């Protein structure tokens, strides 16, 4: 009898939940701030075309990448969004509707989105708050509500919104307009503000978007800047290190697409890059060509221990609590009183570490971790094994541009 009842109750609950979830997303009816924030309670994960494909985007490329996202195990590791960046759009029709390039998207956008959804993945696209995109394609200015309705019709789940050709528009106001349009388009769409940090979006974008770029573009480089202004990943991390207080569930600092597997980054640099993004609660948007991904790169991008730290439900962005020049120690508080710590070697030489936990007290955000009072078990996130406890000195050698990333569990 009891068993029969529960069989009945569960399907009823599912129906009730689906109906109530749909009710909150009616076209023309604005969703609440809470519903909006709930759309990205952990940092979004996916893949983006820009770094490796630039303007060479097409329906077939997106579908192929979606297939590999599944077959490579990336989907199982948590990657969700396939995002087409700039250059999918060519113009607008006489009614102002945005038009995908008929040569590269011969059947339009909808079948591509449907295909991606059929694999259990989500779909994202790119537009711009200015009159043109950064590559000179039609932008969103003046068409925000019309575009949002169109995206909802196609089944778009994520929008990256750039900041070129602003022609005097106030940045915050422009992003607020698009945010309003998305909030009443009838579909939950994650809003990725690509504003490069110029108007300090972390100070106004909570509740406007779910993530905001903190700097200009990333380059596949450990540190420094290339001639057109793009930054190495550690340079980006330096620039957003102090922004930890603005990150949390539904609100993420975005240090840009992952360059793991791109350019001439070494194995250790790829690991450091992924570790820093994981520690920073950064959106994890892979940017490599998945068709030629090596097993080594795949293992980095799908490291479930690092991803669990990135996706931790507290949503804390790591702080650099020890800066010794070439050597740094970062820490991030996790649920269940666990911690993540990352020892970073920025030098050109190996770091022969001799770390005495008993001397370490971390005061951060009105809380203290005192290793002389509490012992933690140490788990190496890249070797996937326990390496002792904080009762003993940590003796390790970290390679040039490498890290030691640990998860600590109170014993
Ligand atoms: C800007 C953005 C990049 C990318 C390009 C596309 O530079 O910051 O991430 O979207 O535009 O043109």
């Amino acid at each position: 009898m009891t068993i029969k009842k529960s069989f009945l109750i569960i399907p009823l609950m599912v129906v009730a939940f689906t109906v109530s979830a749909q009710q909150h997303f009616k076209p023309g009816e604005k969703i609440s701030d809470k519903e909006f924030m709930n759309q990205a309670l952990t940092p979004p994960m996916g893949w983006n075309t820009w770094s490796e494909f630039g303007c060479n985007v097409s329906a077939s490329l997106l579908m192929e990448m979606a297939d590999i996202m599944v077959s490579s195990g990336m989907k199982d590791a948590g990657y969700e969004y396939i995002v087409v960046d700039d250059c999918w759009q060519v113009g607008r029709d006489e009614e102002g509707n945005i038009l995908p390039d008929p040569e590269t998207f011969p059947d339009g956008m909808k079948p591509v989105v449907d295909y991606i959804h059929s694999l259990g993945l989500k779909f994202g696209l790119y537009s711009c708050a200015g009159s043109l995109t950064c590559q000179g394609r039609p932008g969103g200015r003046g068409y925000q509500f019309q575009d949002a309705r169109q995206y909802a019709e196609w089944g778009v789940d994520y929008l990256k919104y750039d900041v070129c050709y602003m022609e005097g528009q106030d940045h915050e106001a422009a992003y607020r307009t698009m945010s309003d349009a998305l909030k009443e388009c009838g579909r939950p769409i994650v809003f990725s503000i690509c504003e490069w940090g110029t108007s300090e979006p972390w100070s106004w974008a909570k509740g406007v978007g779910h993530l905001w770029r903190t700097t200009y573009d990333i380059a596949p480089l450990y540190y420094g800047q290339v001639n057109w202004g793009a930054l190495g990943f550690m340079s980006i991390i330096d620039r957003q290190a102090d922004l930890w207080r603005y990150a949390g569930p539904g609100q993420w600092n975005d240090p840009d697409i992952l360059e793991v597997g791109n350019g001439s980054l070494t194995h250790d640099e790829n690991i450091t890059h992924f570790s820093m993004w994981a520690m920073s609660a950064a959106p994890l948007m892979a940017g490599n060509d998945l068709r030629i991904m090596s097993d080594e790169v795949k293992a980095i991008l799908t490291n479930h221990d690092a991803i669990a730290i990135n996706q931790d439900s507290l949503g804390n962005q790591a702080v650099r609590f020890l800066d010794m020049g070439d050597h740094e120690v970062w820490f991030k508080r996790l649920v269940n009183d666990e911690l993540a710590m990352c020892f970073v070697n920025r030098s050109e030489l190996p770091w022969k570490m001799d770390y005495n936990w008993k001397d370490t007290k971390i005061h951060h955000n009105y809380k203290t971790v005192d290793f002389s009072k509490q012992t933690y078990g140490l788990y190496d996130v890249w070797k996937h094994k326990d390496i002792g406890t904080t009762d003993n000195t940590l003796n390790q050698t970290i390679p040039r541009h490498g890290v030691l990333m640990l998860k600590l569990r109170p014993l």
Side-chain angles (χ1 to χ4, degrees):
M1 194 59 191
T2 332
I3 294 172
K4 270 188 197 154
K5 254 189 202 159
S6 67
F7 270 125
L8 186 71
I9 290 166
I10 292 167
L12 278 179
M13 276 166 58
V14 171
V15 171
F17 176 77
T18 319
V19 170
S20 76
Q22 278 167 358
Q23 273 169 351
H24 292 110
F25 293 101
K26 280 192 188 148
E29 217 172 80
K30 200 168 172 186
I31 57 166
S32 68
D33 286 352
K34 187 162 184 294
E35 281 167 319
F36 182 75
M37 296 287 279
N38 281 347
Q39 291 166 26
L41 290 177
T42 57
M45 295 174 65
W47 178 84
N48 178 300
T49 52
W50 182 249
S51 295
E52 283 300 278
F53 296 92
C55 267
N56 295 320
V57 296
S58 64
S60 55
L61 177 79
L62 298 178
M63 295 195 287
E64 196 180 358
M65 289 302 164
D67 286 338
I68 303 174
M69 189 96 119
V70 177
S71 63
S72 64
M74 285 178 75
K75 178 184 174 225
D76 287 343
Y79 292 85
E80 202 175 13
Y81 298 96
I82 296 283
V83 182
V84 60
D85 209 282
D86 210 343
C87 301
W88 60 267
Q89 61 285 74
V90 276
R92 292 188 181 273
D93 67 15
E94 58 287 354
E95 276 151 12
N97 298 311
I98 190 76
L99 298 172
D101 187 332
E103 278 180 20
T104 46
F105 292 84
D107 302 316
M109 204 51 96
K110 185 89 173 75
V112 182
V113 184
D114 288 346
Y115 181 74
I116 288 170
H117 285 165
S118 76
L119 299 178
L121 297 170
K122 292 182 175 174
F123 176 75
L125 52 67
Y126 161 104
S127 186
C128 183
S131 53
L132 297 173
T133 71
C134 297
Q135 300 302 311
R137 305 301 181 98
R141 184 175 187 174
Y143 295 92
Q144 294 88 341
F145 286 79
Q146 186 173 0
D147 282 349
R149 280 196 300 273
Q150 176 69 84
Y151 300 157
E153 240 168 67
W154 285 340
V156 171
D157 305 292
Y158 181 105
L159 172 68
K160 170 175 170 181
Y161 218 47
D162 215 334
V163 73
C164 282
Y165 296 95
M166 292 297 274
E167 296 153 355
Q169 275 192 104
D170 178 76
H171 288 196
E172 179 180 341
Y175 283 96
R176 281 189 186 278
T177 306
M178 193 58 199
S179 175
D180 288 343
L182 292 175
K183 284 172 182 163
E184 59 171 78
C185 75
R187 186 178 172 84
I189 297 183
V190 168
F191 191 25
S192 157
I193 294 179
C194 177
E195 195 270 354
W196 311 341
T198 29
S199 72
E200 305 191 343
W202 45 89
S203 67
W204 55 258
K206 175 182 175 182
V208 178
H210 301 95
L211 57 155
W212 42 83
R213 281 271 297 278
T214 53
T215 69
Y216 195 50
D217 292 11
I218 195 167
L221 203 69
Y222 182 75
Y223 184 79
Q225 197 159 20
V226 298
N227 55 9
W228 57 275
L231 296 157
F233 67 84
M234 286 308 285
S235 304
I236 293 184
I237 285 296
D238 285 346
R239 283 169 202 225
Q240 70 154 54
D242 291 338
L243 302 180
W244 55 266
R245 59 175 59 76
Y246 300 100
Q251 46 179 117
W252 309 106
N253 289 311
D254 175 10
D256 208 358
I257 299 164
L258 286 161
E259 294 285 7
V260 172
N262 292 344
S264 49
L265 292 179
T266 66
H267 179 63
D268 289 326
E269 289 172 341
N270 280 327
I271 286 180
T272 300
H273 184 1
F274 200 73
S275 301
M276 295 316 289
W277 262 234
M279 291 293 291
S280 305
L284 298 178
M285 287 290 165
N288 57 323
D289 182 347
L290 303 181
R291 298 171 304 189
I292 53 164
M293 171 165 60
S294 66
D295 287 346
E296 212 174 66
V297 166
K298 183 161 68 177
I300 295 173
L301 289 174
T302 58
N303 179 332
H304 56 272
D305 290 317
I307 291 172
I309 287 170
N310 172 268
Q311 296 285 302
D312 183 80
S313 60
L314 292 183
N316 287 320
Q317 176 175 321
V319 289
R320 175 165 41 197
F321 84 93
L322 208 55
D323 182 350
M324 301 171 284
D326 277 348
H327 304 147
E328 299 171 351
V329 189
W330 293 70
F331 121 108
K332 168 175 158 91
R333 217 179 265 283
L334 307 172
V335 281
N336 301 326
D337 293 323
E338 295 188 329
L339 306 171
M341 286 182 64
C342 195
F343 295 79
V344 180
N345 178 14
R346 301 176 73 131
S347 83
E348 296 300 319
L349 299 168
W351 175 13
K352 289 207 172 84
M353 234 177 60
D354 194 353
Y355 193 76
N356 183 0
W357 295 97
K358 298 294 167 199
D359 294 342
T360 305
K361 234 189 223 176
I362 307 172
H363 301 287
H364 174 62
N365 215 10
Y366 311 108
K367 287 191 189 125
T368 302
V369 176
D370 185 346
F371 290 103
S372 68
K373 297 212 175 100
Q374 170 70 55
T375 301
Y376 289 81
L378 303 175
Y379 177 82
D380 185 323
V381 167
W382 290 105
K383 293 208 173 92
H384 303 289
K385 63 171 196 197
D386 292 316
I387 57 158
T389 76
T390 52
D391 280 341
N392 303 314
T393 305
L394 183 65
N395 294 307
Q396 293 264 336
T397 300
I398 304 179
R400 158 196 185 266
H401 292 186
V403 292
L404 172 69
M405 186 174 173
L406 302 176
K407 183 165 168 179
L408 286 74
R409 190 169 41 89
L411 295 178

